[in-house]
Amino acid sequence: LRLVHPSAARTILVPRMPTKRENGPPVEAARRIEEVRLSYRYDALDLSELGLTAIPGSLAKLKYLETLRLSANQITAIPDLAEQRWHLENLFLSGNKIAVIPDSLAQLRNLKTLNLSGNRITTIPDSLAQLESLEYLNLSGNQITAIPHSLARLKRLQTLDLSDNQIVAIPHSLVNLESLTHLFLHRNPDLGIPAEVLGPTFNEVFGQNKPPKPAKEILAYYFAQRSGAQPQNEAKLILV
């Protein structure tokens, strides 16, 4: 069984045509958006690496877009989505300059994949728990210090990557995430979870096909440590 990272999922992308330097990123983005809008089938659009500083308003025309890639730009904010009627299932905004996750993002009720890694986010809002279809959430490489209890309401969540943040504690409610199979908490030193307990990193699991450490084992170790009980794996080492 080969694990496939969500970014490797098959999508139909608009070819990246060379553009004149003077046209700039907004013009190229507008060209791609219009080309997709006029096509018979527009389920995916890639606007990555265009140097965009804002999400183009013309995306509102693409009501039935399923996958939108806006990674590796210079976007500073996610606009108010309260008036949008998007059917987005996969949204990639990694490698930008976003500092706040707006409550209006919860309007994307069909969202299954959300990647906001490598931004400047400090807080996970409770509104994110309204994304009931979410299966994959990547918030690694930000400045997050706390995990809200509300995250436990994401009953379909399978992959949660919170690596490379500043998290100081894990709420016990996360044990209720029955579908969670991939949990990445690497390089959050204040959690005090050894590397051998965390297991392979995100890149090792999805890039090198290494088996992930079960999320339940990671959480069990953490809460046993917090309560003063001896984690099972340590007890086994003593008995051998």
Side-chain angles (χ1 to χ4, degrees):
L1 176 63
R2 181 175 178 79
L3 296 171
V4 180
H5 178 255
S7 63
R10 182 181 177 275
T11 57
I12 299 175
L13 305 179
V14 179
R16 297 190 177 188
M17 301 297 290
T19 57
K20 294 182 179 179
R21 188 178 182 84
E22 61 268 20
N23 283 343
V27 174
E28 170 62 8
R31 183 195 69 79
R32 295 187 191 183
I33 292 169
E34 186 63 10
E35 186 171 342
V36 168
R37 188 183 71 82
L38 295 174
S39 67
Y40 288 103
R41 183 181 179 188
Y42 58 85
D43 59 355
L45 176 62
D46 191 351
L47 298 178
S48 300
E49 300 180 31
L50 287 180
L52 297 173
T53 57
I55 297 177
S58 53
L59 282 170
K61 302 174 184 177
L62 306 179
K63 300 295 185 183
Y64 299 100
L65 194 67
E66 294 180 1
T67 299
L68 176 59
R69 300 177 185 274
L70 287 158
S71 298
N73 281 294
Q74 299 177 40
I75 296 168
T76 58
I78 301 173
D80 189 349
L81 301 174
E83 301 301 320
Q84 303 294 344
R85 293 294 181 268
W86 281 350
H87 291 72
L88 273 183
E89 294 185 2
N90 309 290
L91 178 59
F92 298 88
L93 279 162
S94 60
N96 281 286
K97 299 179 179 180
I98 297 166
V100 176
I101 302 175
D103 290 340
S104 63
L105 191 66
Q107 299 295 321
L108 303 179
R109 296 302 176 89
N110 296 322
L111 208 60
K112 295 180 179 179
T113 298
L114 177 59
N115 191 335
L116 282 164
S117 62
N119 278 282
R120 301 175 179 179
I121 297 164
T122 58
T123 304
I124 303 174
D126 288 330
S127 57
L128 209 61
Q130 297 177 36
L131 297 173
E132 297 178 353
S133 298
L134 202 62
E135 299 175 357
Y136 172 95
L137 177 60
N138 192 334
L139 292 170
S140 64
N142 280 284
Q143 300 166 28
I144 297 166
T145 58
I147 304 172
H149 289 276
S150 57
L151 216 60
R153 286 160 35 201
L154 297 174
K155 298 301 182 183
R156 297 184 182 181
L157 193 64
Q158 299 173 18
T159 298
L160 176 60
D161 189 355
L162 292 168
S163 303
D164 295 293
N165 278 287
Q166 301 164 27
I167 297 168
V168 298
I170 302 173
H172 194 272
S173 56
L174 287 197
V175 301
N176 297 321
L177 290 173
E178 295 295 334
S179 299
L180 190 65
T181 55
H182 296 67
L183 177 61
F184 303 99
L185 294 166
H186 304 74
R187 294 175 294 279
N188 283 285
D190 288 339
L191 291 178
I193 306 177
E196 59 269 22
V197 174
L198 292 171
T201 64
F202 179 94
N203 290 334
E204 290 172 333
V205 171
F206 290 106
Q208 302 175 27
N209 203 31
K210 291 187 177 181
K213 195 68 173 284
K216 290 185 182 299
E217 287 187 17
I218 298 172
L219 293 174
Y221 177 94
Y222 174 79
F223 292 117
Q225 183 187 50
R226 296 276 290 184
S227 67
Q230 190 177 50
Q232 279 192 339
N233 60 337
E234 290 188 3
K236 288 178 182 178
L237 289 174
I238 294 173
L239 291 172
V240 171

